[in-house]
Amino acid sequence: MKRTVYISALCLLVVSSGAYAQKKKKAGSLDNVSITYLNNSFGTYDKLQKQIWSTPELGFLEEKSSKTLQDHLKSQGFQVEVGVAQMPTAFVATYGSGSPVIGILAEFDALPGLSQDTVPYQKPLAEGTNGHACGHNNFGVGSVAGAVAIKEWLDAGKHAGTIKVFGTPAEEGGGGKVYMVRDGYFKGVDIVLDWHPATGNGVSVGTGTAIQMIDYTFKGIAAHAAGSPDKGRSALDGVEAFDYMVNLLREHVPFSSRIHYVITNGGEAPNVVPEYAKVSYYIRSPQRKVLEDLVTWVNAAAEGAAKGTQTTVSSEVIAGFYEVFYNHTLQKLVQQQLELVGGIKYDERERAFAEAIVKGLGNDLSTLKAAEEVRPLAEERPSTGGGSSDVGDVSWNVPTASFGTAVFVPGSAGHSWQNVASGGTTIGTKGLLNAAKVFALSAIELYSNPKLVEEAKKEFEERRGKDFKYVPLLGDRAPALDYRVKK
Ligand SMILES: [Zn+2]
Ligand SMILES: [Zn+2]
């Protein structure tokens, strides 16, 4: 099974758009202990991100990566609760006391088959092994650096306020955040700030899609495929009839829907009628209600296929995420801080690396400007498809904003070898430190201005609606801790 293809569209990358320029308001200042701390800590965080980059671990298996982040937080005085929500690599690290309580999300899982050296041409470190093609090495360390910088500010001014780092495993398909939401770890959190490594610097405005990932298992009767085919009933026939029906129905579903599948088990040998066959589906829509209708239809197709092939079918929801619901009040706040921090400034060596990547992509060198600039805040547009993220479930429970910094060379594709290469260099470290600065400046504004927190919460309640009730799309299942274990 081509795992790379299987998960490639999962991550909801930071979306850019022109739209309208945000009126610049008077923002805070870079002259504070948080920024000074981060300016003096390049070596510390460069080392940490490269440590995680060089031991890329898959979803729910990120023991070393998670521990690296936990150890650093503990060394800085954070209380760390490990193994939360039935996930050994999930953690919540807390510092400070009183309100407001600000949460920062930290991811750290890697992707299979994307090993790559820190060079501007394709060169796997070890063919077929894991790589940080989504920059979660930078992601986790940037979030932790931001939280420690916030701690420095809380300490220096003896300010009231709590900072929490949510170590969220298995973003690439496992949905670690959803279990933490479901088990109540975000209760009492006032604001969530989030980021993602990107090819530019900007606030995220794309709301992506809600998703359900469902495995369908067909069972038939094994028989000699030539000697006694009449005695057999093929589970693979069930899968094929099911996939065929889905491929017919996809013409008649709302345009923004996305349905994709891979057959993960289609039998063992052609001369044996397959007794067992399995197909994994991702079903997505920008709207949860539409997703529910799609899943009902796809389930009916599975039942129909089983009936027509005299097999049986069972299904298991592996994971499910809400579409993202961003808070506009927080987006404006984060935009101001991002503009204050600015883009990435390459040194000579970094520029040569980035130019080689750009040339390799066949792009014009002028595209590199995107790394240096901060995009204006774009207007939120109704999603027309796209990826999904488990940040969605967090964002429907706590007012949330997300942004990106240029950890990757502009023009690089998501989940690409170029991203592994760039994220493992000092470009990645500069990107994560810019993110940490945006976290620190945003938190300082929120701690200093309780009205801002109230405004974000009021907007959240009003736009979410008073009838909203959170029902996880993955039901009451336990985390699929072995979803990346080869069987
Ligand atoms: Zn990803
Ligand atoms: Zn990602």
Side-chain angles (χ1 to χ4, degrees):
M1 182 178 60
K2 285 189 178 167
R3 283 285 196 174
T4 331
V5 175
Y6 183 68
I7 43 73
S8 67
L10 239 196
C11 244
L12 183 68
L13 290 176
V14 175
V15 181
S16 70
S17 164
Y20 67 93
Q22 178 71 9
K23 269 187 198 162
K24 276 190 188 172
K25 286 183 196 162
K26 193 175 163 287
S29 156
L30 288 173
D31 182 19
N32 63 60
V33 290
S34 291
I35 303 298
T36 306
Y37 167 77
L38 291 168
N39 284 339
N40 292 335
S41 303
F42 187 93
T44 303
Y45 294 110
D46 187 57
K47 196 175 152 204
L48 281 186
Q49 76 95 341
K50 286 175 179 168
Q51 198 175 320
I52 295 177
W53 183 91
S54 56
T55 51
E57 298 167 301
L58 302 180
F60 291 134
L61 307 171
E62 323 94 326
E63 285 173 28
K64 289 180 194 150
S65 309
S66 178
K67 189 168 182 306
T68 299
L69 300 176
Q70 291 166 31
D71 286 350
H72 183 66
L73 287 160
K74 277 183 202 160
S75 77
Q76 299 296 313
F78 281 71
Q79 294 290 326
V80 183
E81 190 185 351
V82 188
V84 301
Q86 306 171 68
M87 298 176 289
T89 55
F91 68 87
V92 182
T94 308
Y95 190 88
S97 59
S99 60
V101 180
I102 299 176
I104 294 182
L105 307 180
E107 297 174 7
F108 37 77
D109 60 323
L111 286 157
L114 280 157
S115 168
Q116 166 68 29
D117 201 353
T118 49
V119 289
Y121 50 90
Q122 192 165 13
K123 184 191 170 215
L125 279 172
E127 200 80 53
T129 60
N130 310 334
H132 268 294
C134 210
H136 295 179
N137 56 313
N138 313 98
F139 191 151
V141 174
S143 299
V144 164
V148 175
I150 292 163
K151 179 214 93 161
E152 293 288 318
W153 183 84
L154 287 171
D155 280 355
K158 299 196 170 34
H159 298 280
T162 305
I163 183 76
K164 276 178 182 277
V165 180
F166 290 89
T168 62
E171 188 281 333
E172 302 285 0
K177 295 180 194 72
V178 185
Y179 300 102
M180 294 169 91
V181 172
R182 191 182 70 182
D183 289 8
Y185 285 92
F186 284 90
K187 289 225 165 80
V189 179
D190 295 298
I191 300 289
V192 164
L193 299 172
D194 171 54
W195 80 294
H196 199 290
T199 52
N201 310 287
V203 169
S204 313
V205 293
T207 53
T209 49
I211 184 171
Q212 274 194 317
M213 305 171 208
I214 308 177
D215 281 358
Y216 293 89
T217 301
F218 284 77
K219 282 198 179 132
I221 301 166
H224 194 298
S228 49
D230 56 310
K231 301 273 192 313
R233 296 291 179 269
S234 169
L236 180 61
D237 286 355
V239 166
E240 288 189 290
F242 172 40
D243 292 345
Y244 183 66
M245 260 192 273
V246 171
N247 287 330
L248 293 175
L249 74 81
R250 71 168 76 240
E251 185 185 353
H252 309 290
V253 300
F255 178 71
S256 54
S257 314
R258 297 285 185 272
I259 309 176
H260 20 264
Y261 62 84
V262 287
I263 297 173
T264 53
N265 189 325
E268 301 296 331
N271 62 351
V272 179
V273 173
E275 186 182 16
Y276 174 91
K278 191 169 175 178
V279 59
S280 290
Y281 268 77
Y282 282 10
I283 308 163
R284 314 187 200 226
S285 167
Q287 291 159 310
R288 284 197 306 285
K289 177 68 187 91
V290 175
L291 175 64
E292 199 182 310
D293 295 343
L294 285 175
V295 169
T296 304
W297 197 350
V298 171
N299 284 343
E303 294 291 342
K307 197 167 183 190
T309 55
Q310 297 195 342
T311 58
T312 58
V313 65
S314 60
S315 64
E316 181 185 5
V317 176
I318 301 298
F321 310 157
Y322 276 39
E323 71 278 18
V324 184
F325 173 51
Y326 287 127
N327 189 276
H328 298 159
T329 308
L330 294 176
Q331 285 180 320
K332 286 177 200 154
L333 167 74
V334 171
Q335 177 74 21
Q336 287 164 9
Q337 316 317 315
L338 198 50
E339 285 177 10
L340 204 56
V341 171
I344 307 295
K345 292 177 187 71
Y346 295 141
D347 65 20
E348 216 172 299
R349 198 159 157 263
E350 292 160 350
R351 180 161 297 278
F353 171 91
E355 284 184 358
I357 295 253
V358 170
K359 280 182 197 157
L361 289 166
N363 293 340
D364 194 273
L365 287 182
S366 63
T367 56
L368 276 180
K369 269 207 186 85
E372 294 158 16
E373 297 169 350
V374 174
R375 291 192 305 272
L377 181 59
E379 206 160 356
E380 193 166 284
R381 296 148 297 158
S383 173
T384 54
S388 316
S389 166
D390 57 2
V391 174
D393 291 63
V394 177
S395 70
W396 282 89
N397 285 277
V398 186
T400 300
S402 188
F403 64 96
T405 69
V407 162
F408 307 135
V409 176
S412 306
H415 293 185
S416 60
W417 66 260
Q418 288 91 342
N419 288 357
V420 187
S422 181
T425 70
T426 49
I427 295 175
T429 310
K430 285 184 176 176
L432 73 87
L433 282 173
N434 274 16
K437 288 177 183 178
V438 173
F439 281 135
L441 294 174
S442 303
I444 292 170
E445 290 290 319
L446 290 162
Y447 289 131
S448 309
N449 187 357
K451 270 197 188 143
L452 200 51
V453 177
E454 288 316 310
E455 204 183 309
K457 285 172 129 174
K458 187 165 172 274
E459 181 206 319
F460 177 74
E461 297 293 346
E462 280 173 8
R463 286 180 52 217
R464 192 174 68 156
K466 60 178 183 334
D467 297 330
F468 175 82
K469 191 173 175 294
Y470 176 66
V471 181
L473 293 177
L474 48 69
D476 58 3
R477 64 156 302 134
L481 296 179
D482 62 351
Y483 86 110
R484 285 289 193 226
V485 178
K486 282 213 173 93
K487 290 163 196 154

